[in-house]
Amino acid sequence: MGSASSAANAYRAQILINTMFKRRGNDIVHTYKHGFTGFAARLTAEEAKVIAKKPGVVSVFPDPNYQLHTTHSWDFLKYQEAVKIDSGPPSSAAASGGSYDTIIGILDTGIWPESESFNDKDMGPIPSRWKGTCMEAKDFNSSNCNRKIIGARFYKNPDDDSDYFTTRDVIGHGTHTSSTAAGSVVENASYYGVASGTAKGGSPNARIAMYKVCNPGGCSGSSILAAFDDAIADGVDVLSLSLGAPAYARIELNTDPIAIGSFHAMEQGILVVCSAGNDGPDVGTVVNTSPWIMTVAANTIDRDLESDVVLGGNKVIKGEGIHFGNVSKSPVYPLILGKTAKNADTSEGTARKCEYGSLDQEKVKGKIVLCENVDGEYFASNARDEVKRKGGIGCIFVDDRTRAVASAYGTFPTTVIDSKEAAEIFSYLNSTKDPVATILPTVTVEKFTPAPSVAYFSSRGPSSITRSILKPDITAPGVAILAAWTGKDSSISLQGKPPSQFNVISGTSMAAPHVTAVVSLIKSQHPTWTPSAIKSAIMTTATQTNNEKGLITTETGATATLYDTGAGELSTTASMQPGLVYETTAVDYLHFLCYYGYNVTTIKTISKAVPENFTCPADSKLDLISTINYPSIGISGFKGNESKTVSRTVTNVGGDGVAVYTVSVETPPGFSIQVTPEKLQFTKDGEKLTYQVIVSAAASASLKKDVFGALTWSTSKYKVRSPIVISSESSSTN
């Protein structure tokens, strides 16, 4: 992939294409002309070196391949406000649409236009500012677009099967994320009766523009960059991406199409929302961490999809899973451990997990098998397959990690329990000669507690770029989310029943469109707000408590840290009127790139609009990243014998004109955090005031691990909270 540095170089780029690819037209994959000037092409390594030396070419880099972040929710967020997701946000002016008609651009696997979630009943005319198109294909006509789906584009990758040259979704992921963000109201939605209710996107009056950049083989960086280029020109208001690189990839900002494309979008007033990744719970796995991106972690909601185990004597053990097995509700089936049912030539450890080929058919046939995830590297679906293959009746899978995340197992009775619950089964097995059990059908349990908790798979901070910018930014519902599906997916269908129009899946992929919807709602109410103001409104009004009034926890029950949740869980109401906002300017982001270590030449490979007289500060260094006007505060490279000072500027958007905010500080043990001044006195809306934060340690303090705090500016009406991270580590974790 290559790019030219300015509009003046567009002509040079075209000449380059004409000369090098005169007889190789098929080797040009994409050309870029809106966000920046450049092209994607098939090149040998030698050809790439030649092009990199051409006048006007500022960068040439390989085309990376990205992955999707998938492994009732709106009502739950509504009830959390008092201090369920599938059925939409609270009824309000914001939920019903503001004065501005928002357009959500989604980069994903396409869309299933026949889904009832995309009906355009009672929607007004398409906004006149819309410049997009509805690309036709053999299975997608212009009539598939309407006043809900107003744009549909797909991107041809020469390596893809031509069957994928369409905006129609053959995977389901893009349909699910689109309907979560902006789906129309659908009554009596469910996945074969599970998670039933009213399905409704978070911003149901928003328009959808789908940019299909993913196919079963992944999501090519060149297609992603082309989609950014088109979406900016088409006129979207927010962009949503539920995809990214694997955590281990560590792609540099100046060669990352998502970072580059989102920077161009930011320069045009478009906020980009991205999923944080599904490589948790390991630390340092969060992706899409550029500060101009809003990075979203995933949490559970207060709905549990429960499938219980009944032991002999009618002892009930609670479990988790979606299955539609037709077995007796009485405990009449023999129960056996996987290790007891092992093949003669299989190790006990392998059989405990019920790995492929590990079980003896004669020992398993007609029984329920208890399998254990002994090393954290196996899943219930794999164990189920082995038990089913060997003639078993059902599978109980022990896994602390996945216990809170319901997966679908079709018609074979399968449930997941944790080790504490398993101890009761082990005790029962040891107490009886002929143990029996059954696995009950899935039931939907509402008002489940505690919720939210951070999903085990949700990627965690700190960012690999810098510890001076907290990532993820926010967490939102991403576990067992019901939303629209393709309607012809036999892989999720039950035998003898028509394909489900909805599906229940989990991932940070599902969390990102929840935030996208709220961005859309804020934009509809405040159309002149900048991307950073909207981002600030969401971060500073986030909640840190669960529905038991305790602090949000992780999948282990431990209190979550800022590296798990970011600023906290998304608030659908407080974010509409935050009181104050932190505005991070394009120049702030340019300075970030300077502090990160890039020179102006490299910065121009990321930004299209570097001011002509822009230079990097002479003292640019990693620690100065803390000084950019971000809603959270990160202090890295902290030494115990020093103090560090950063400043922040807030803008009064409360609407009351005169306002006095008082600060309160949550200080980690062994530290002092002083804020000057302690009061901010605003005299009018739009006024900006600056404060300083001085962080110091007690004389005896030794910072052995990152610590967390916060500061909150309050009036009787507003609470504006900024998380604080203090780290002794260098800003970069690379």
Side-chain angles (χ1 to χ4, degrees):
M1 297 171 65
S3 66
S5 60
S6 69
N9 281 320
Y11 178 71
R12 291 180 184 173
Q14 191 59 51
I15 293 295
L16 188 60
I17 292 172
N18 290 344
T19 54
M20 288 203 67
F21 300 96
K22 188 174 182 179
R23 295 181 179 85
R24 297 167 52 190
N26 290 337
D27 286 343
I28 294 292
V29 180
H30 301 294
T31 57
Y32 312 115
K33 55 190 176 183
H34 303 301
F36 71 110
T37 302
F39 60 92
R42 294 170 177 265
L43 297 171
T44 65
E46 195 58 38
E47 287 172 331
K49 290 179 182 178
V50 171
I51 287 181
K53 296 176 182 178
K54 297 287 184 179
V57 175
V58 295
S59 67
V60 177
F61 55 89
D63 186 1
N65 194 46
Y66 294 89
Q67 60 192 17
L68 298 169
H69 285 161
T70 247
T71 66
H72 158 84
S73 36
W74 289 106
D75 281 341
F76 172 56
L77 288 180
K78 177 179 69 175
Y79 291 127
Q80 281 286 87
E81 303 300 333
V83 158
K84 292 177 176 184
I85 286 198
D86 304 329
S87 57
S91 297
S92 65
S96 60
S99 59
Y100 184 78
D101 206 346
T102 54
I103 302 168
I104 297 175
I106 298 175
L107 276 61
D108 214 298
T109 64
I111 198 163
W112 193 264
E114 290 82 9
S115 169
E116 192 59 26
S117 291
F118 306 125
N119 79 74
D120 62 356
K121 182 181 178 182
D122 299 328
M123 296 194 76
I126 295 171
S128 59
R129 69 182 190 281
W130 176 244
K131 299 180 178 64
T133 188
C134 189
M135 289 177 65
E136 294 197 333
K138 61 183 180 181
D139 60 358
F140 200 101
N141 301 319
S142 59
S143 60
N144 288 128
C145 289
N146 56 13
R147 290 170 297 177
K148 168 60 72 175
I149 304 173
I150 66 172
R153 292 182 184 268
F154 63 91
Y155 298 88
K156 293 182 179 181
N157 187 322
D159 297 325
D160 285 341
D161 190 305
S162 61
D163 287 345
Y164 302 138
F165 294 167
T166 172
T167 314
R168 182 168 293 278
D169 189 3
V170 298
I171 297 173
H173 189 273
T175 300
H176 198 282
T177 56
S178 298
S179 61
T180 300
S184 301
V185 177
V186 181
E187 304 286 349
N188 301 315
S190 73
Y191 176 58
Y192 294 113
V194 171
S196 60
T198 300
K200 178 182 180 183
S203 185
N205 287 333
R207 319 296 179 137
I208 295 170
M210 172 55 67
Y211 300 85
K212 183 180 179 181
V213 297
C214 303
N215 287 314
C219 318
S220 76
S222 57
S223 294
I224 291 169
L225 205 50
F228 271 113
D229 197 41
D230 285 334
I232 291 168
D234 288 346
V236 303
D237 296 299
V238 54
L239 280 164
S240 188
L241 286 77
S242 290
L243 53 92
Y248 62 80
R250 299 289 196 252
I251 301 175
E252 270 292 319
L253 294 175
N254 65 329
T255 60
D256 179 0
I258 294 178
I260 295 169
S262 59
F263 198 100
H264 296 160
M266 176 275 299
E267 290 177 314
Q268 298 300 316
I270 302 165
L271 179 57
V272 178
V273 179
C274 291
S275 48
N278 292 351
D279 290 318
D282 293 342
V283 299
T285 51
V286 61
V287 298
N288 295 325
T289 56
S290 301
W292 48 89
I293 290 173
M294 185 146 211
T295 313
V296 187
N299 58 253
T300 63
I301 59 174
D302 67 340
R303 180 180 63 202
D304 196 43
L305 301 178
E306 191 174 300
S307 174
D308 296 340
V309 177
V310 182
L311 304 175
N314 292 320
K315 170 70 174 178
V316 177
I317 306 295
K318 291 187 181 298
E320 185 91 2
I322 304 170
H323 76 86
F324 304 91
N326 184 21
V327 293
S328 172
K329 293 185 179 181
S330 299
V332 297
Y333 305 103
L335 175 64
I336 190 171
L337 294 175
K339 66 179 182 180
T340 306
K342 77 181 190 71
N343 278 323
D345 58 353
T346 298
S347 70
E348 182 176 296
T350 300
R352 284 179 68 186
K353 292 191 291 184
C354 302
E355 286 192 25
Y356 179 85
S358 65
L359 302 182
D360 186 315
Q361 185 165 342
E362 292 304 312
K363 296 176 181 177
V364 170
K365 189 174 181 180
K367 296 183 177 69
I368 291 175
V369 183
L370 188 146
C371 310
E372 305 165 71
N373 188 11
V374 293
D375 57 14
E377 299 297 327
Y378 210 60
F379 291 92
S381 57
N382 305 118
R384 171 206 59 182
D385 291 345
E386 173 66 1
V387 173
K388 183 179 180 181
R389 194 163 34 241
K390 296 302 173 62
I393 291 293
C395 176
I396 303 168
F397 193 69
V398 183
D399 189 1
D400 293 335
R401 180 186 56 164
T402 63
R403 168 62 175 83
V405 179
S407 295
Y409 304 109
T411 57
F412 192 76
T414 305
T415 191
V416 178
I417 63 174
D418 63 28
S419 54
K420 183 178 179 181
E421 294 155 343
E424 296 188 62
I425 298 182
F426 292 138
S427 176
Y428 167 70
L429 285 166
N430 291 330
S431 68
T432 182
K433 182 180 179 183
D434 298 306
V436 290
T438 192
I439 301 173
L440 298 179
T442 302
V443 294
T444 303
V445 178
E446 304 288 354
K447 299 182 180 180
F448 180 79
T449 62
S453 64
V454 179
Y456 82 88
F457 56 76
S458 186
S459 290
R460 314 300 166 95
S463 164
S464 64
I465 295 176
T466 171
R467 295 193 183 211
S468 293
I469 299 290
L470 173 63
K471 290 289 178 171
D473 291 303
I474 197 78
T475 184
V479 173
I481 303 302
L482 178 81
W485 205 245
T486 63
K488 286 190 177 180
D489 188 351
S490 60
S491 68
I492 69 161
S493 301
L494 299 183
Q495 188 173 2
K497 294 189 177 182
S500 177
Q501 304 299 304
F502 292 85
N503 198 7
V504 177
I505 56 176
S506 301
T508 54
S509 277
M510 286 62 255
H514 282 93
V515 175
T516 300
V518 173
V519 172
S520 170
L521 294 177
I522 296 173
K523 185 74 173 178
S524 72
Q525 296 296 299
H526 306 285
T528 62
W529 280 16
T530 63
S532 64
I534 296 173
K535 182 179 185 179
S536 171
I538 292 172
M539 290 178 64
T540 61
T541 58
T543 58
Q544 294 76 46
T545 55
N546 60 30
N547 56 3
E548 293 182 331
K549 305 305 179 186
L551 294 175
I552 295 172
T553 59
T554 68
E555 75 286 351
T556 66
T559 300
T561 74
L562 297 179
Y563 288 152
D564 302 315
T565 64
E569 190 189 33
L570 172 70
S571 165
T572 60
T573 54
S575 56
M576 300 296 153
Q577 295 291 339
L580 304 175
V581 294
Y582 295 81
E583 295 197 83
T584 316
T585 66
V587 172
D588 280 326
Y589 294 131
L590 294 177
H591 283 152
F592 162 83
L593 294 171
C594 292
Y595 303 151
Y596 183 66
Y598 289 154
N599 58 31
V600 174
T601 299
T602 303
I603 290 171
K604 287 181 177 178
T605 68
I606 299 171
S607 170
K608 184 185 179 183
V610 178
E612 199 165 315
N613 59 350
F614 178 82
T615 58
C616 283
D619 61 342
S620 291
K621 56 183 178 180
L622 285 168
D623 288 350
L624 290 177
I625 291 174
S626 296
T627 66
I628 74 167
N629 201 45
Y630 206 72
S632 59
I633 298 171
I635 306 290
S636 62
F638 186 85
K639 306 296 185 255
N641 58 352
E642 65 178 354
S643 65
K644 287 202 172 186
T645 303
V646 298
S647 63
R648 289 291 188 271
T649 299
V650 287
T651 305
N652 181 18
V653 296
D656 299 323
V658 175
V660 179
Y661 285 81
T662 303
V663 74
S664 60
V665 181
E666 300 165 43
T667 305
F671 285 83
S672 169
I673 299 177
Q674 181 182 352
V675 181
T676 306
E678 295 181 347
K679 288 188 177 182
L680 296 176
Q681 302 188 43
F682 293 92
T683 60
K684 59 184 178 180
D685 291 331
E687 183 179 1
K688 297 178 185 291
L689 293 177
T690 299
Y691 66 89
Q692 285 189 327
V693 181
I694 304 169
V695 178
S696 55
S700 60
S702 175
L703 185 57
K704 295 181 179 179
K705 62 179 182 179
D706 295 2
V707 295
F708 309 100
L711 65 84
T712 303
W713 292 102
S714 302
T715 66
S716 60
K717 186 176 180 180
Y718 298 113
K719 290 186 181 297
V720 185
R721 186 177 187 270
S722 291
I724 299 173
V725 179
I726 306 171
S727 174
S728 63
E729 298 290 329
S730 166
S731 284
S732 175
T733 59
N734 283 330

